[in-house]
Amino acid sequence: MSIKRILAPTDFSEVSNKAIDVAVAIATKGDAEIVLMHTSLPTEGINSNVYAAIYIHEYLEIKRKNLQQMAERLKEKGFDGKITTDNKVDFTVPSIVNAAAEFEADLVIMGSTGTSGLSGVILGSTAGGVLSKIDHPLFLIPKDYVLPESGHLLIGTDYKTAVDPGSLNIIEFFKEKLNFRIQLIHIEKEGEENVDREKYVRDNFKSLIDGSISIPGGKVEEALLKLKEKYTNAVLCTVTKKRNWFENIFYHSVSKSLAHYSDVALLCLHEE
């Protein structure tokens, strides 16, 4: 159980700074490296009348310096782990998804909302795009979230979907290093196929689960949001299923639905 590298995309906004604070707190607990990345859109810094290559170079250099200064500030605040900075020129969603693979990130931590325009990429509008394409664990941080000393991780489950090893590693990290209690949340549906729930938990979560809650009817996201109000410092967690492009057209994603709530800390994991 370890986290070696955290990817932290930033648009230099207050929201992304909050996410970086969380990344630092988690990296400190796990002795992990932080990769600070910023994506400059291909059209950023281009004069509308004249394409000036020198001007573009200077513009991107400012972005690189901003990242470096951010890394230096984190060091000044006491973070003693390794920090790598990387400024991409690309479109936001593929940039973040590709960087997660490039740096072999164990966890991607980013703000669930952000700013737009030349000041930075639009993290808020791309959160759904990133979580629908990325195959690395993703932690979406709302603007007022502070990582607590202890909390609850509420995992929505159907008692069928198995989590992949990387996702299980993150759940174990939340329990052992962040002192979170792990709860499974299941929506009981009429006519649902019976499964051996105890076996499912043993096979997929070892001894990590502290309890389970079953709720009759309703939607998973609605149940998770209601339970979040009950449990202090709760993080909602979903396990995304692998689907082909045709299935995705008709697929209702709980993760995407929850990502629209700006006050929700959302951990998005993946099936095996």
Side-chain angles (χ1 to χ4, degrees):
M1 176 268 301
S2 66
I3 294 181
K4 297 180 180 179
R5 190 171 295 111
I6 295 172
L7 177 68
T10 179
D11 62 359
F12 305 112
S13 69
E14 182 180 352
V15 176
S16 62
N17 288 341
K18 284 280 189 178
I20 288 172
D21 288 342
V22 173
V24 168
I26 291 178
T28 300
K29 292 283 187 179
D31 296 323
E33 172 189 354
I34 294 177
V35 178
L36 290 176
M37 70 162 291
H38 173 74
T39 301
S40 297
L41 299 175
T43 54
E44 276 189 53
I46 296 178
N47 186 292
S48 58
N49 297 315
V50 179
Y51 182 91
I54 295 178
Y55 176 74
I56 298 301
H57 174 77
E58 292 177 348
Y59 179 85
L60 295 178
E61 186 61 29
I62 290 173
K63 295 291 187 178
R64 284 190 284 269
K65 288 181 179 179
N66 286 343
L67 277 177
Q68 188 58 44
Q69 289 172 357
M70 179 177 289
E72 291 170 359
R73 286 195 295 271
L74 294 182
K75 290 290 188 181
E76 291 170 359
K77 288 181 179 180
F79 180 68
D80 59 3
K82 180 180 178 181
I83 303 177
T84 299
T85 60
D86 189 36
N87 185 56
K88 304 286 188 185
V89 180
D90 198 351
F91 294 99
T92 311
V93 171
S95 175
I96 295 173
V97 172
N98 292 338
E102 175 188 348
F103 290 101
E104 299 181 338
D106 296 297
L107 181 63
V108 179
I109 302 178
M110 59 184 282
S112 55
T113 57
T115 60
S116 61
L118 293 183
S119 60
V121 296
I122 313 172
L123 287 183
S125 65
T126 61
V130 171
L131 70 86
S132 67
K133 296 180 181 300
I134 199 166
D135 57 4
H136 291 68
L138 172 67
F139 195 11
L140 295 176
I141 306 299
K143 61 183 180 66
D144 296 322
Y145 183 77
V146 177
L147 190 73
E149 290 296 323
S150 63
H152 290 83
L153 183 64
L154 307 179
I155 306 175
T157 183
D158 58 4
Y159 287 107
K160 297 177 183 177
T161 304
V163 297
D164 68 13
S167 295
L168 185 62
N169 177 63
I170 297 300
I171 294 172
E172 189 173 3
F173 188 91
F174 265 74
K175 183 177 179 67
E176 301 297 336
K177 296 292 188 179
L178 302 183
N179 198 30
F180 271 61
R181 287 180 58 82
I182 314 297
Q183 299 268 22
L184 289 180
I185 312 300
H186 177 67
I187 304 300
E188 301 281 1
K189 297 179 181 179
E190 187 176 350
E192 186 175 24
E193 178 186 354
N194 290 326
V195 295
D196 188 337
R197 298 184 180 185
E198 292 185 1
K199 183 178 185 303
Y200 168 84
V201 173
R202 287 196 308 271
D203 291 347
N204 288 276
F205 297 101
K206 299 185 285 188
S207 60
L208 297 175
I209 305 303
D210 295 296
S212 61
I213 301 172
S214 293
I215 301 173
K219 294 183 178 180
V220 177
E221 57 266 40
E222 292 176 354
L224 287 172
L225 288 169
K226 288 180 181 179
L227 286 169
K228 183 180 182 296
E229 297 175 0
K230 177 181 177 181
Y231 291 97
T232 305
N233 297 321
V235 171
L236 306 187
C237 178
T238 63
V239 180
T240 303
K241 295 183 177 181
K242 296 178 181 178
R243 301 175 187 271
N244 61 40
W245 67 270
F246 184 78
E247 290 173 320
N248 280 329
I249 295 175
F250 304 100
Y251 176 46
H252 169 71
S253 169
V254 173
S255 301
K256 286 184 182 179
S257 178
L258 288 171
H260 290 298
Y261 293 88
S262 60
D263 62 341
V264 172
L266 180 62
L267 180 63
C268 306
L269 305 179
H270 300 274
E271 78 167 334
E272 190 171 26

